[in-house]
Each structure stands twice: as structure tokens, then as C-alpha cells.
Amino acid sequence: MLVRDAMSSVVLTIGPTHTLRQAAALMSARRVGAAVVHDPDAGGIGILTERDILNSVGLGQDPDTELSHAHTTADVVFAAPAWTLEEAARAMAHGGFRHLIVLDRGEPVGIVSVRDIIRCWAPARQHVPA
């Protein structure tokens, strides 16, 4: 199975000046665990995840004043729609992250998460004896 078959095509894109509270509200409303941060001044595309927001709040930072660009991962590993799920899982395991932005011709077309991969693999493997 390929990344294009598993990815969510709901791509939440926010700007670098969104506060963490704004980002969290948008992510919650869309029921997604990550947002693409488009910041042309910082080199383009980054990712802000629910874990980034949780880490900030855990440090006692104010989600109403902390801006997304300060918590965005800019050194992003991107997936291609034609990658296999095994390739995506390997990239996630190697990098220690749970989301990959899927790019097609340089544009974000989706996000694939560990949950997406498990959802695809679970039905095919549910008949394996324990």
C-alpha cells in the first residue's frame, strides 16, 4: 500500500504568527495532530505537532503569547505519495516522529501519521494468530 492511499488529504496550514492556542484550536476543530506551517521568511514549510504544543505548555510557556514559528520543526522529512507505507514507517522510526508531510511537485498534498499507517495495516494483519 502507498502513502497516497493512507494519507489524510486534510492539510491544515497556518502561519508563523499563529499563537499556540490558535494552532491548537484549529487542529482540534479539524481533528488533526499536526499543522503545516508556511513561513516564507524562514525557508518555506515546517510542521507543528500536538507534541510541540504539549511540550511548550509543559514548560510553563503561555500558549496565548507563544508563536508557532518558535516551536515549528523546520528540518522536515517529507514523504512522496508514491512511497510505500514501509518507507514512511521507516522514515518515522529513524527520525523519531509521528507525522510526515506529503509533497507532490513541491506542494503539501497530505499528511501521513503513524495512526494512518496502523489503520491500513491492522485489517490485513488482524487474522494473525496470537
Side-chain angles (χ1 to χ4, degrees):
M1 186 170 275
L2 302 178
V3 165
R4 75 169 51 93
D5 302 318
M7 72 181 193
S8 169
S9 58
V10 175
V11 179
L12 173 61
T13 302
I14 63 173
T17 59
H18 277 80
T19 67
L20 292 186
R21 184 174 308 279
Q22 290 169 327
L26 291 167
M27 290 164 65
S28 178
R30 296 259 185 113
R31 300 180 50 87
V32 297
V36 172
V37 181
H38 181 66
D39 188 354
D41 295 332
I45 299 172
I47 190 167
L48 179 74
T49 68
E50 56 202 356
R51 182 166 295 184
D52 297 324
I53 296 169
L54 181 67
N55 287 340
S56 174
V57 171
L59 290 171
Q61 297 172 334
D62 184 352
D64 290 315
T65 60
E66 287 295 312
L67 301 181
S68 63
H69 76 85
H71 302 277
T72 297
T73 300
D75 186 19
V76 179
V77 175
F78 298 102
W83 277 17
T84 65
L85 294 185
E86 288 81 6
E87 289 173 301
R90 194 170 20 260
M92 289 176 186
H94 179 74
F97 42 80
R98 299 178 295 153
H99 298 86
L100 290 170
I101 299 172
V102 182
L103 291 185
D104 190 13
R105 296 180 189 92
E107 294 296 319
V109 295
I111 293 184
V112 65
S113 70
V114 170
R115 180 177 293 156
D116 295 325
I117 293 171
I118 291 170
R119 179 179 40 81
C120 290
W121 283 349
R125 298 187 177 163
Q126 68 185 359
H127 299 294
V128 175

PDB file of all heavy atoms in Angstrom, residues 45-73:
ATOM      1  N   ILE A  45       8.395  25.511   4.376  1.00  0.00           N
ATOM      2  CA  ILE A  45       7.421  24.655   5.046  1.00  0.00           C
ATOM      3  C   ILE A  45       8.028  23.998   6.282  1.00  0.00           C
ATOM      4  O   ILE A  45       9.108  23.417   6.227  1.00  0.00           O
ATOM      5  CB  ILE A  45       6.922  23.563   4.085  1.00  0.00           C
ATOM      6  CG1 ILE A  45       6.232  24.198   2.882  1.00  0.00           C
ATOM      7  CG2 ILE A  45       5.989  22.607   4.793  1.00  0.00           C
ATOM      8  CD1 ILE A  45       5.876  23.205   1.802  1.00  0.00           C
ATOM      9  N   GLY A  46       7.286  24.079   7.384  1.00  0.00           N
ATOM     10  CA  GLY A  46       7.640  23.383   8.614  1.00  0.00           C
ATOM     11  C   GLY A  46       6.422  22.654   9.139  1.00  0.00           C
ATOM     12  O   GLY A  46       5.352  22.673   8.520  1.00  0.00           O
ATOM     13  N   ILE A  47       6.570  22.023  10.287  1.00  0.00           N
ATOM     14  CA  ILE A  47       5.446  21.290  10.877  1.00  0.00           C
ATOM     15  C   ILE A  47       5.370  21.597  12.374  1.00  0.00           C
ATOM     16  O   ILE A  47       6.388  21.710  13.055  1.00  0.00           O
ATOM     17  CB  ILE A  47       5.567  19.769  10.613  1.00  0.00           C
ATOM     18  CG1 ILE A  47       4.282  19.040  11.013  1.00  0.00           C
ATOM     19  CG2 ILE A  47       6.793  19.183  11.288  1.00  0.00           C
ATOM     20  CD1 ILE A  47       4.205  17.604  10.490  1.00  0.00           C
ATOM     21  N   LEU A  48       4.155  21.773  12.847  1.00  0.00           N
ATOM     22  CA  LEU A  48       3.865  21.963  14.263  1.00  0.00           C
ATOM     23  C   LEU A  48       2.944  20.826  14.665  1.00  0.00           C
ATOM     24  O   LEU A  48       1.884  20.638  14.052  1.00  0.00           O
ATOM     25  CB  LEU A  48       3.179  23.313  14.504  1.00  0.00           C
ATOM     26  CG  LEU A  48       2.795  23.616  15.954  1.00  0.00           C
ATOM     27  CD1 LEU A  48       4.045  23.960  16.765  1.00  0.00           C
ATOM     28  CD2 LEU A  48       1.799  24.769  16.012  1.00  0.00           C
ATOM     29  N   THR A  49       3.335  20.077  15.678  1.00  0.00           N
ATOM     30  CA  THR A  49       2.531  18.925  16.096  1.00  0.00           C
ATOM     31  C   THR A  49       1.930  19.154  17.478  1.00  0.00           C
ATOM     32  O   THR A  49       2.348  20.049  18.214  1.00  0.00           O
ATOM     33  CB  THR A  49       3.382  17.642  16.131  1.00  0.00           C
ATOM     34  OG1 THR A  49       4.344  17.744  17.185  1.00  0.00           O
ATOM     35  CG2 THR A  49       4.074  17.392  14.795  1.00  0.00           C
ATOM     36  N   GLU A  50       0.999  18.299  17.804  1.00  0.00           N
ATOM     37  CA  GLU A  50       0.377  18.358  19.125  1.00  0.00           C
ATOM     38  C   GLU A  50       1.427  18.194  20.220  1.00  0.00           C
ATOM     39  O   GLU A  50       1.335  18.812  21.270  1.00  0.00           O
ATOM     40  CB  GLU A  50      -0.722  17.300  19.246  1.00  0.00           C
ATOM     41  CG  GLU A  50      -0.226  15.891  18.959  1.00  0.00           C
ATOM     42  CD  GLU A  50      -1.320  14.915  18.559  1.00  0.00           C
ATOM     43  OE1 GLU A  50      -2.507  15.284  18.571  1.00  0.00           O
ATOM     44  OE2 GLU A  50      -0.968  13.775  18.230  1.00  0.00           O
ATOM     45  N   ARG A  51       2.450  17.407  19.955  1.00  0.00           N
ATOM     46  CA  ARG A  51       3.527  17.215  20.933  1.00  0.00           C
ATOM     47  C   ARG A  51       4.317  18.507  21.135  1.00  0.00           C
ATOM     48  O   ARG A  51       4.721  18.812  22.252  1.00  0.00           O
ATOM     49  CB  ARG A  51       4.459  16.100  20.494  1.00  0.00           C
ATOM     50  CG  ARG A  51       5.558  15.860  21.533  1.00  0.00           C
ATOM     51  CD  ARG A  51       6.267  14.582  21.314  1.00  0.00           C
ATOM     52  NE  ARG A  51       5.311  13.493  21.524  1.00  0.00           N
ATOM     53  CZ  ARG A  51       5.611  12.217  21.479  1.00  0.00           C
ATOM     54  NH1 ARG A  51       6.843  11.851  21.228  1.00  0.00           N
ATOM     55  NH2 ARG A  51       4.701  11.294  21.676  1.00  0.00           N
ATOM     56  N   ASP A  52       4.539  19.281  20.072  1.00  0.00           N
ATOM     57  CA  ASP A  52       5.228  20.566  20.201  1.00  0.00           C
ATOM     58  C   ASP A  52       4.452  21.501  21.129  1.00  0.00           C
ATOM     59  O   ASP A  52       5.033  22.181  21.976  1.00  0.00           O
ATOM     60  CB  ASP A  52       5.398  21.237  18.830  1.00  0.00           C
ATOM     61  CG  ASP A  52       6.263  20.427  17.877  1.00  0.00           C
ATOM     62  OD1 ASP A  52       7.224  19.790  18.336  1.00  0.00           O
ATOM     63  OD2 ASP A  52       5.964  20.455  16.664  1.00  0.00           O
ATOM     64  N   ILE A  53       3.143  21.521  20.966  1.00  0.00           N
ATOM     65  CA  ILE A  53       2.296  22.364  21.813  1.00  0.00           C
ATOM     66  C   ILE A  53       2.319  21.856  23.253  1.00  0.00           C
ATOM     67  O   ILE A  53       2.476  22.638  24.197  1.00  0.00           O
ATOM     68  CB  ILE A  53       0.859  22.424  21.253  1.00  0.00           C
ATOM     69  CG1 ILE A  53       0.869  23.110  19.882  1.00  0.00           C
ATOM     70  CG2 ILE A  53      -0.082  23.143  22.223  1.00  0.00           C
ATOM     71  CD1 ILE A  53      -0.441  22.996  19.117  1.00  0.00           C
ATOM     72  N   LEU A  54       2.210  20.549  23.425  1.00  0.00           N
ATOM     73  CA  LEU A  54       2.244  19.950  24.764  1.00  0.00           C
ATOM     74  C   LEU A  54       3.563  20.247  25.470  1.00  0.00           C
ATOM     75  O   LEU A  54       3.580  20.599  26.654  1.00  0.00           O
ATOM     76  CB  LEU A  54       2.025  18.441  24.655  1.00  0.00           C
ATOM     77  CG  LEU A  54       2.003  17.653  25.948  1.00  0.00           C
ATOM     78  CD1 LEU A  54       0.788  18.030  26.781  1.00  0.00           C
ATOM     79  CD2 LEU A  54       2.004  16.166  25.648  1.00  0.00           C
ATOM     80  N   ASN A  55       4.672  20.145  24.750  1.00  0.00           N
ATOM     81  CA  ASN A  55       5.982  20.431  25.348  1.00  0.00           C
ATOM     82  C   ASN A  55       6.068  21.881  25.811  1.00  0.00           C
ATOM     83  O   ASN A  55       6.595  22.164  26.886  1.00  0.00           O
ATOM     84  CB  ASN A  55       7.110  20.121  24.366  1.00  0.00           C
ATOM     85  CG  ASN A  55       7.326  18.633  24.173  1.00  0.00           C
ATOM     86  OD1 ASN A  55       6.917  17.823  24.990  1.00  0.00           O
ATOM     87  ND2 ASN A  55       7.956  18.280  23.077  1.00  0.00           N
ATOM     88  N   SER A  56       5.546  22.795  25.022  1.00  0.00           N
ATOM     89  CA  SER A  56       5.575  24.210  25.395  1.00  0.00           C
ATOM     90  C   SER A  56       4.755  24.460  26.652  1.00  0.00           C
ATOM     91  O   SER A  56       5.220  25.118  27.592  1.00  0.00           O
ATOM     92  CB  SER A  56       5.041  25.064  24.237  1.00  0.00           C
ATOM     93  OG  SER A  56       4.942  26.406  24.629  1.00  0.00           O
ATOM     94  N   VAL A  57       3.553  23.928  26.680  1.00  0.00           N
ATOM     95  CA  VAL A  57       2.693  24.111  27.854  1.00  0.00           C
ATOM     96  C   VAL A  57       3.326  23.444  29.066  1.00  0.00           C
ATOM     97  O   VAL A  57       3.316  23.991  30.179  1.00  0.00           O
ATOM     98  CB  VAL A  57       1.269  23.566  27.575  1.00  0.00           C
ATOM     99  CG1 VAL A  57       0.424  23.550  28.837  1.00  0.00           C
ATOM    100  CG2 VAL A  57       0.584  24.398  26.493  1.00  0.00           C
ATOM    101  N   GLY A  58       3.927  22.284  28.870  1.00  0.00           N
ATOM    102  CA  GLY A  58       4.598  21.580  29.964  1.00  0.00           C
ATOM    103  C   GLY A  58       5.761  22.364  30.553  1.00  0.00           C
ATOM    104  O   GLY A  58       6.091  22.211  31.725  1.00  0.00           O
ATOM    105  N   LEU A  59       6.366  23.209  29.739  1.00  0.00           N
ATOM    106  CA  LEU A  59       7.459  24.068  30.216  1.00  0.00           C
ATOM    107  C   LEU A  59       6.947  25.338  30.895  1.00  0.00           C
ATOM    108  O   LEU A  59       7.740  26.156  31.352  1.00  0.00           O
ATOM    109  CB  LEU A  59       8.367  24.457  29.043  1.00  0.00           C
ATOM    110  CG  LEU A  59       9.225  23.339  28.463  1.00  0.00           C
ATOM    111  CD1 LEU A  59       9.907  23.804  27.181  1.00  0.00           C
ATOM    112  CD2 LEU A  59      10.252  22.873  29.486  1.00  0.00           C
ATOM    113  N   GLY A  60       5.622  25.490  30.945  1.00  0.00           N
ATOM    114  CA  GLY A  60       5.030  26.667  31.584  1.00  0.00           C
ATOM    115  C   GLY A  60       4.920  27.869  30.669  1.00  0.00           C
ATOM    116  O   GLY A  60       4.630  28.975  31.129  1.00  0.00           O
ATOM    117  N   GLN A  61       5.136  27.677  29.381  1.00  0.00           N
ATOM    118  CA  GLN A  61       5.007  28.787  28.440  1.00  0.00           C
ATOM    119  C   GLN A  61       3.532  29.087  28.189  1.00  0.00           C
ATOM    120  O   GLN A  61       2.679  28.211  28.262  1.00  0.00           O
ATOM    121  CB  GLN A  61       5.727  28.461  27.137  1.00  0.00           C
ATOM    122  CG  GLN A  61       7.222  28.275  27.341  1.00  0.00           C
ATOM    123  CD  GLN A  61       7.932  27.771  26.102  1.00  0.00           C
ATOM    124  OE1 GLN A  61       7.350  27.124  25.245  1.00  0.00           O
ATOM    125  NE2 GLN A  61       9.232  28.068  26.028  1.00  0.00           N
ATOM    126  N   ASP A  62       3.248  30.336  27.884  1.00  0.00           N
ATOM    127  CA  ASP A  62       1.873  30.803  27.688  1.00  0.00           C
ATOM    128  C   ASP A  62       1.430  30.553  26.249  1.00  0.00           C
ATOM    129  O   ASP A  62       1.974  31.159  25.317  1.00  0.00           O
ATOM    130  CB  ASP A  62       1.796  32.300  28.005  1.00  0.00           C
ATOM    131  CG  ASP A  62       0.393  32.861  27.921  1.00  0.00           C
ATOM    132  OD1 ASP A  62      -0.539  32.146  27.474  1.00  0.00           O
ATOM    133  OD2 ASP A  62       0.216  34.042  28.287  1.00  0.00           O
ATOM    134  N   PRO A  63       0.449  29.687  26.028  1.00  0.00           N
ATOM    135  CA  PRO A  63       0.001  29.393  24.666  1.00  0.00           C
ATOM    136  C   PRO A  63      -0.659  30.591  23.975  1.00  0.00           C
ATOM    137  O   PRO A  63      -0.837  30.573  22.759  1.00  0.00           O
ATOM    138  CB  PRO A  63      -0.981  28.237  24.843  1.00  0.00           C
ATOM    139  CG  PRO A  63      -1.426  28.330  26.255  1.00  0.00           C
ATOM    140  CD  PRO A  63      -0.290  28.916  27.030  1.00  0.00           C
ATOM    141  N   ASP A  64      -0.998  31.625  24.749  1.00  0.00           N
ATOM    142  CA  ASP A  64      -1.581  32.814  24.145  1.00  0.00           C
ATOM    143  C   ASP A  64      -0.538  33.788  23.621  1.00  0.00           C
ATOM    144  O   ASP A  64      -0.865  34.701  22.864  1.00  0.00           O
ATOM    145  CB  ASP A  64      -2.498  33.535  25.142  1.00  0.00           C
ATOM    146  CG  ASP A  64      -3.759  32.737  25.417  1.00  0.00           C
ATOM    147  OD1 ASP A  64      -4.359  32.235  24.438  1.00  0.00           O
ATOM    148  OD2 ASP A  64      -4.127  32.595  26.590  1.00  0.00           O
ATOM    149  N   THR A  65       0.715  33.601  24.018  1.00  0.00           N
ATOM    150  CA  THR A  65       1.766  34.500  23.542  1.00  0.00           C
ATOM    151  C   THR A  65       2.851  33.782  22.743  1.00  0.00           C
ATOM    152  O   THR A  65       3.567  34.419  21.971  1.00  0.00           O
ATOM    153  CB  THR A  65       2.432  35.263  24.714  1.00  0.00           C
ATOM    154  OG1 THR A  65       3.003  34.318  25.621  1.00  0.00           O
ATOM    155  CG2 THR A  65       1.417  36.134  25.436  1.00  0.00           C
ATOM    156  N   GLU A  66       2.986  32.485  22.940  1.00  0.00           N
ATOM    157  CA  GLU A  66       3.981  31.721  22.184  1.00  0.00           C
ATOM    158  C   GLU A  66       3.520  31.574  20.736  1.00  0.00           C
ATOM    159  O   GLU A  66       2.383  31.187  20.478  1.00  0.00           O
ATOM    160  CB  GLU A  66       4.184  30.331  22.787  1.00  0.00           C
ATOM    161  CG  GLU A  66       4.934  30.319  24.089  1.00  0.00           C
ATOM    162  CD  GLU A  66       6.363  30.789  23.935  1.00  0.00           C
ATOM    163  OE1 GLU A  66       7.076  30.319  23.012  1.00  0.00           O
ATOM    164  OE2 GLU A  66       6.786  31.634  24.755  1.00  0.00           O
ATOM    165  N   LEU A  67       4.413  31.894  19.808  1.00  0.00           N
ATOM    166  CA  LEU A  67       4.076  31.830  18.388  1.00  0.00           C
ATOM    167  C   LEU A  67       4.532  30.506  17.784  1.00  0.00           C
ATOM    168  O   LEU A  67       5.536  29.922  18.201  1.00  0.00           O
ATOM    169  CB  LEU A  67       4.717  32.999  17.642  1.00  0.00           C
ATOM    170  CG  LEU A  67       4.301  34.387  18.135  1.00  0.00           C
ATOM    171  CD1 LEU A  67       4.982  35.467  17.299  1.00  0.00           C
ATOM    172  CD2 LEU A  67       2.788  34.557  18.108  1.00  0.00           C
ATOM    173  N   SER A  68       3.798  30.066  16.794  1.00  0.00           N
ATOM    174  CA  SER A  68       4.067  28.760  16.195  1.00  0.00           C
ATOM    175  C   SER A  68       5.487  28.656  15.638  1.00  0.00           C
ATOM    176  O   SER A  68       6.113  27.604  15.740  1.00  0.00           O
ATOM    177  CB  SER A  68       3.038  28.437  15.120  1.00  0.00           C
ATOM    178  OG  SER A  68       3.106  29.354  14.067  1.00  0.00           O
ATOM    179  N   HIS A  69       6.019  29.743  15.065  1.00  0.00           N
ATOM    180  CA  HIS A  69       7.346  29.640  14.455  1.00  0.00           C
ATOM    181  C   HIS A  69       8.422  29.263  15.468  1.00  0.00           C
ATOM    182  O   HIS A  69       9.422  28.629  15.110  1.00  0.00           O
ATOM    183  CB  HIS A  69       7.731  30.917  13.705  1.00  0.00           C
ATOM    184  CG  HIS A  69       8.139  32.047  14.585  1.00  0.00           C
ATOM    185  ND1 HIS A  69       9.418  32.200  15.048  1.00  0.00           N
ATOM    186  CD2 HIS A  69       7.421  33.077  15.091  1.00  0.00           C
ATOM    187  CE1 HIS A  69       9.471  33.292  15.801  1.00  0.00           C
ATOM    188  NE2 HIS A  69       8.279  33.837  15.845  1.00  0.00           N
ATOM    189  N   ALA A  70       8.227  29.589  16.734  1.00  0.00           N
ATOM    190  CA  ALA A  70       9.210  29.258  17.757  1.00  0.00           C
ATOM    191  C   ALA A  70       9.190  27.770  18.117  1.00  0.00           C
ATOM    192  O   ALA A  70      10.113  27.277  18.766  1.00  0.00           O
ATOM    193  CB  ALA A  70       8.965  30.094  19.014  1.00  0.00           C
ATOM    194  N   HIS A  71       8.162  27.060  17.694  1.00  0.00           N
ATOM    195  CA  HIS A  71       8.000  25.647  18.060  1.00  0.00           C
ATOM    196  C   HIS A  71       7.894  24.735  16.843  1.00  0.00           C
ATOM    197  O   HIS A  71       7.640  23.543  16.979  1.00  0.00           O
ATOM    198  CB  HIS A  71       6.770  25.496  18.958  1.00  0.00           C
ATOM    199  CG  HIS A  71       6.878  26.330  20.186  1.00  0.00           C
ATOM    200  ND1 HIS A  71       7.573  25.917  21.302  1.00  0.00           N
ATOM    201  CD2 HIS A  71       6.440  27.590  20.456  1.00  0.00           C
ATOM    202  CE1 HIS A  71       7.535  26.873  22.216  1.00  0.00           C
ATOM    203  NE2 HIS A  71       6.859  27.900  21.728  1.00  0.00           N
ATOM    204  N   THR A  72       8.085  25.314  15.674  1.00  0.00           N
ATOM    205  CA  THR A  72       7.959  24.575  14.428  1.00  0.00           C
ATOM    206  C   THR A  72       9.239  23.812  14.123  1.00  0.00           C
ATOM    207  O   THR A  72      10.337  24.338  14.285  1.00  0.00           O
ATOM    208  CB  THR A  72       7.667  25.559  13.270  1.00  0.00           C
ATOM    209  OG1 THR A  72       6.418  26.203  13.523  1.00  0.00           O
ATOM    210  CG2 THR A  72       7.602  24.856  11.937  1.00  0.00           C
ATOM    211  N   THR A  73       9.076  22.584  13.673  1.00  0.00           N
ATOM    212  CA  THR A  73      10.211  21.828  13.163  1.00  0.00           C
ATOM    213  C   THR A  73      10.422  22.254  11.719  1.00  0.00           C
ATOM    214  O   THR A  73       9.545  22.075  10.879  1.00  0.00           O
ATOM    215  CB  THR A  73       9.933  20.311  13.224  1.00  0.00           C
ATOM    216  OG1 THR A  73       9.687  19.948  14.585  1.00  0.00           O
ATOM    217  CG2 THR A  73      11.094  19.507  12.668  1.00  0.00           C
TER     218      THR A  73
END
